[in-house]
Amino acid sequence: MHSPEEDLANTVREMADTLFHRGPDGDGVWCDQSAGVGMGHRRLSILDLSAAGAQPMFSACGRYVVVFNAEIYNHLNLRADLSFDGASVAWRGNSDTETLLAAVAHWGLRETLHRACGMFSLALWDRDKQELQFARDRMGEKPLYLARIAGGWAFASELKALLAVPGFDARVCRDAVAAYLAYGYVPENQCIFRDVQKVSPGHIVSITPDAMKPEVLEFQSFQSALNGALENRIASQQGSLDRLEDVLSTVVGEQMLSDVPLGCFLSGGVDSSLVAALMQKESTKPIRTFSIGFSEERFNEAPHAAAVAKHLGTEHTQFIMSEEDALRLIPDLPKIYDEPFADSSQIPTALLCRETRKFVTVALTGDGGDEVFGGYNRHVMGPRLLSKLQLVPQGVRRCAGSAIAACGPSILEEDGWLRRMASAIRLPVTALDKTAVLAPYLGEINDIRALYDHLTRGIYDPAPLMKDDIALRPLGLSFPVEGAEWLMAMDSVTYLPGDILVKVDRASMAASLETRSPYLDSRVVTAAWELPLEMKISGGKGKRILRTLLDRYVPRDLIERPKQGFAIPLDRWLRGGLRQWAEERLFDEALLDLAGLEHAAVGKLWERHQAGTVNNGAKLWTILMLLDWISHYRSFLGGIRSVDSKAYLGQTV
């Protein structure tokens, strides 16, 4: 028989072991049975590789215990600030975790996090107040789940760790399924499991033994940072470019701080090329850069990345992904993305991370540049499209949309005349597909919010696919900006944390690779929103100021080309190499029932796709990722593990 404390420690250790990939370099467990608290940690050693950086870590005063999945990039500055502020600290090591604890002991958690620049999720136990606090970085780079269990709470960096918790009820949330089908990811305000919530970016959640429910406190959300930036918006453009370069250079320099090998993802686009250029400027030797290409020429951007790398003088490595590589990876996707996730660029992202990890432990990325500086086509073209649509009577728009939709998929085939024409005028590969998705709803788009909904949804209306009558939960967001800036703000709090950052965090951590995103540093985000819109979007192009800044390092002709992204030919794969795999799931009645999907509706989507009457590739991929996730976790769904000991709090990061 184990003692209650041994049971608690064993469970926390079991939770941590499920996340070995997030920290293969070490582990630690700490428990206080009298308080009913347990913490576990898996360590990916980046700063201070010695035992002085191990977690869970106690503050010097002994009051606080923390587990910390994070990088605080300005932690050396925080140490200096502590000294200037009169704090006397006998430093034991060089880790940012120790810096955090000393800062919390001196300033408190909220003030510390407001001063900190970085990405993080954390759990902090205050032994004096018997209070457990959770926090997550401003933009949502690092994940943190909080689950209600029988008589207590559990928390973890990934959902799979919660499955090891006695008393965890792994029941699928139907509302979250509907939202997933609509967007291709589970939004920040929902979770695929009932009774589980995501700690909101920029917020602190506090739990005490006597509280009826957690207390939520903001330390700095995107919305509050946006309001502050708009109040300080720069009236004059003079000197803005130099100021932005100074901020980005500082942030990139801080993010290059590492005690292990470090590199940079390089696609050859504006965002990653500028990060690589600033890294090379800061380095005394060639930096390592990595890119992924495709064996299919129309999707392959690797030559562009190689040209930029050659110009910058980096030590460049490129990986060429074949269709066979992608198909071999697909069975691993439910293990990597522990909520259903349908962004097909997850495949090249995961492969890039796996290959990069063979050479370095840390990689800087260009993620966030589009959201912060207005880089998506919808930011540039959306407001103009909306203004033109509003000039056309609704009935006329509805008829035009129906006519476009009735043309069928033949004009959109890979070798069709319309795609050839689009290629000739340098239209992005995905633009025609998005036009086809938008067409049936032209009559319904009357404001910017409706335009955004239709542009960003994978399956616009999931209701016909679902057995239950479920309405999508409104996000309830508002911003003091309009037009393109409203679209940018909306992306920053929905698509960015729900899709882009989930994609990169899970793919990189599955490979035990840490990724860092300079554009998401709070100082860069603030500097970007202080700029007038015309410095970001003008002349039919986005990210104008980043392009101008990049001109100082890379010739424009190496960069300028249509934005492609990691496009994947799902339509063809589902008619070819993935057909048998897909049919095994789409026609498994037990899987469909667990997902709450209508058998006939799913079958009709498949039949029409195979007949070539419509391209349902993206919709089918969304359904397949849900079914494959259910298939992987089906032994847990709807089951509650027995509870043999006192309820507790356990953390793995």
Side-chain angles (χ1 to χ4, degrees):
M1 287 288 292
H2 291 147
S3 69
E5 187 159 3
E6 286 177 312
D7 288 336
L8 178 57
N10 288 337
T11 301
V12 173
R13 185 170 289 106
E14 185 179 348
M15 292 174 70
D17 287 346
T18 68
L19 303 185
F20 176 87
H21 52 282
R22 295 189 79 93
D25 299 328
D27 66 324
V29 170
W30 171 82
C31 296
D32 182 345
Q33 179 61 35
S34 63
V37 176
M39 290 181 171
H41 185 262
R42 292 293 327 185
R43 186 182 184 193
L44 179 63
S45 300
I46 305 293
L47 294 176
D48 193 343
L49 310 185
S50 73
Q55 299 183 42
M57 184 183 290
F58 281 81
S59 62
C61 63
R63 175 176 174 178
Y64 300 101
V65 191
V66 74
V67 279
F68 193 42
N69 175 19
E71 294 294 343
I72 303 298
Y73 303 121
N74 66 333
H75 89 97
L76 295 179
N77 292 334
L78 292 180
R79 290 192 174 198
D81 291 343
L82 284 167
S83 178
F84 181 79
D85 208 31
S88 178
V89 183
W91 299 109
R92 295 164 288 176
N94 301 308
S95 73
D96 54 350
T97 309
E98 186 181 3
T99 304
L100 172 86
L101 283 168
V104 168
H106 187 71
W107 292 313
L109 180 60
R110 187 180 187 187
E111 176 64 18
T112 294
L113 297 183
H114 195 79
R115 291 171 177 256
C117 298
M119 57 176 184
F120 51 82
S121 66
L122 64 88
L124 179 78
W125 174 243
D126 185 334
R127 303 171 81 187
D128 289 356
K129 294 176 63 176
Q130 295 286 286
E131 180 182 39
L132 187 61
Q133 293 180 291
F134 311 96
R136 191 166 168 221
D137 63 72
R138 296 167 178 86
M139 302 302 288
E141 293 183 68
K142 285 299 176 185
L144 184 54
Y145 294 93
L146 180 60
R148 194 76 168 95
I149 60 173
W153 298 85
F155 51 102
S157 289
E158 293 184 18
L159 284 177
K160 58 177 65 72
L162 297 177
L163 298 174
V165 178
F168 179 65
D169 185 357
R171 296 182 189 273
V172 173
C173 174
R174 291 283 185 257
D175 287 346
V177 170
Y180 162 77
L181 291 173
Y183 299 108
Y185 60 88
V186 179
E188 278 292 298
N189 64 336
Q190 294 177 268
C191 181
I192 196 63
F193 289 133
R194 297 180 187 178
D195 300 322
V196 179
Q197 66 186 73
K198 298 164 185 170
V199 175
S200 297
H203 285 74
I204 298 168
V205 177
S206 299
I207 296 176
T208 57
D210 300 329
M212 297 298 293
K213 61 180 182 179
E215 177 186 355
V216 180
L217 179 70
E218 176 189 320
F219 68 86
Q220 189 179 36
S221 67
F222 171 81
Q223 286 93 327
S224 63
L226 172 62
N227 292 336
L230 292 176
E231 290 177 2
N232 297 316
R233 177 153 281 186
I234 298 169
S236 171
Q237 298 184 16
Q238 186 174 2
S240 296
L241 189 64
D242 290 337
R243 284 196 296 271
L244 180 61
E245 183 175 27
D246 288 343
V247 172
L248 274 170
S249 295
T250 296
V251 169
V252 167
E254 288 178 355
Q255 294 199 10
M256 291 175 68
L257 184 64
S258 173
D259 293 331
V260 293
L262 172 143
C264 177
F265 290 160
L266 178 61
S267 69
V270 173
D271 305 332
S272 63
S273 296
L274 182 54
V275 170
L278 294 174
M279 288 180 68
Q280 190 58 70
K281 183 182 73 170
E282 295 288 326
S283 179
T284 58
K285 60 182 180 180
I287 66 167
R288 296 295 305 258
T289 54
F290 304 90
S291 67
I292 190 164
F294 296 81
S295 53
E296 294 184 57
E297 184 176 349
R298 79 184 184 100
F299 296 109
N300 188 23
E301 293 193 308
H304 302 291
V308 173
K310 182 178 180 181
H311 177 80
L312 293 175
T314 73
E315 184 180 348
H316 188 62
T317 304
Q318 71 176 27
F319 319 106
I320 301 300
M321 183 186 87
S322 67
E323 181 174 330
E324 291 72 26
D325 293 329
L327 298 183
R328 281 196 296 269
L329 176 71
I330 287 173
D332 292 338
L333 293 179
K335 292 179 284 186
I336 296 173
Y337 297 92
D338 57 356
E339 282 188 286
F341 188 74
D343 184 339
S344 61
S345 64
Q346 63 197 144
I347 296 173
T349 302
L351 289 172
L352 174 61
C353 290
R354 283 185 180 182
E355 294 301 317
T356 299
R357 183 60 175 90
K358 296 175 181 178
F359 301 90
V360 298
T361 309
V362 179
L364 272 65
T365 82
D367 293 316
D370 287 310
E371 290 81 2
V372 175
F373 289 94
Y376 291 132
N377 291 326
R378 56 179 170 267
H379 302 158
V380 179
M381 306 298 295
R384 285 195 288 171
L385 172 62
L386 179 62
S387 65
K388 292 182 183 300
L389 285 175
Q390 290 172 332
L391 295 174
V392 181
Q394 192 171 16
V396 175
R397 281 187 274 134
R398 188 176 291 114
C399 291
S402 298
I404 295 172
C407 290
S410 58
I411 61 172
L412 298 179
E413 289 298 324
E414 293 179 25
D415 57 351
W417 66 270
L418 195 56
R419 284 210 187 274
R420 291 198 299 271
M421 180 183 295
S423 178
I425 63 174
R426 299 171 66 83
L427 195 68
V429 169
T430 57
L432 291 177
D433 295 322
K434 291 186 177 181
T435 300
V437 169
L438 197 63
Y441 310 106
L442 291 181
E444 302 175 17
I445 299 173
N446 297 308
D447 57 31
I448 197 74
R449 188 176 289 271
L451 177 66
Y452 185 84
D453 281 348
H454 288 283
L455 284 174
T456 56
R457 289 190 182 182
I459 298 175
Y460 174 66
D461 183 8
L465 287 173
M466 300 193 68
K467 294 180 177 181
D468 301 326
D469 184 15
I470 294 174
L472 293 176
R473 182 186 301 178
L475 295 173
L477 299 170
S478 62
F479 308 103
V481 288
E482 299 177 348
E485 290 190 310
W486 188 92
L487 296 171
M488 293 162 59
M490 193 69 172
D491 275 331
S492 295
V493 297
T494 58
Y495 181 66
L496 176 67
D499 186 304
I500 299 299
L501 298 181
V502 167
K503 175 181 67 179
V504 176
D505 174 80
R506 305 308 189 275
S508 61
M509 287 287 93
S512 303
L513 175 75
E514 176 169 286
T515 52
R516 301 174 175 178
S517 304
Y519 295 112
L520 297 181
D521 186 278
S522 58
R523 292 161 292 183
V524 177
V525 173
T526 297
W529 279 98
E530 286 178 347
L531 297 171
L533 177 62
E534 57 268 24
M535 293 194 71
K536 290 170 281 190
I537 300 175
S538 65
K541 286 189 177 181
K543 298 186 289 194
R544 298 293 302 199
I545 192 168
L546 291 188
R547 295 174 191 273
T548 304
L549 180 53
L550 185 57
D551 287 342
R552 296 180 174 182
Y553 300 95
V554 179
R556 183 67 66 96
D557 60 3
L558 291 183
I559 300 296
E560 290 297 332
R561 64 185 187 280
K563 185 177 181 64
Q564 302 288 10
F566 282 154
I568 297 291
L570 292 175
D571 52 342
R572 181 172 58 78
W573 287 3
L574 290 172
R575 296 187 184 110
L578 285 179
R579 180 166 182 166
Q580 181 179 349
W581 170 85
E583 287 180 337
E584 289 174 356
R585 285 149 184 80
L586 294 173
F587 296 97
D588 185 325
E589 294 185 356
L591 279 184
L592 292 169
D593 289 340
L594 281 170
L597 299 181
E598 288 284 0
H599 301 192
V602 172
K604 186 176 181 181
L605 281 175
W606 179 252
E607 291 166 8
R608 293 185 68 192
H609 184 78
Q610 294 303 320
T613 57
V614 69
N615 179 4
N616 284 326
K619 291 183 178 181
L620 288 166
W621 182 256
T622 301
I623 295 169
L624 284 162
M625 287 294 95
L626 172 63
L627 296 176
D628 210 30
W629 179 86
I630 289 174
S631 177
H632 181 74
Y633 290 105
R634 69 194 306 171
S635 63
F636 294 97
L637 301 182
I640 305 177
R641 290 185 55 182
S642 61
V643 183
D644 298 321
S645 61
K646 181 178 177 180
Y648 63 90
L649 298 151
Q651 163 76 348
T652 56
V653 293

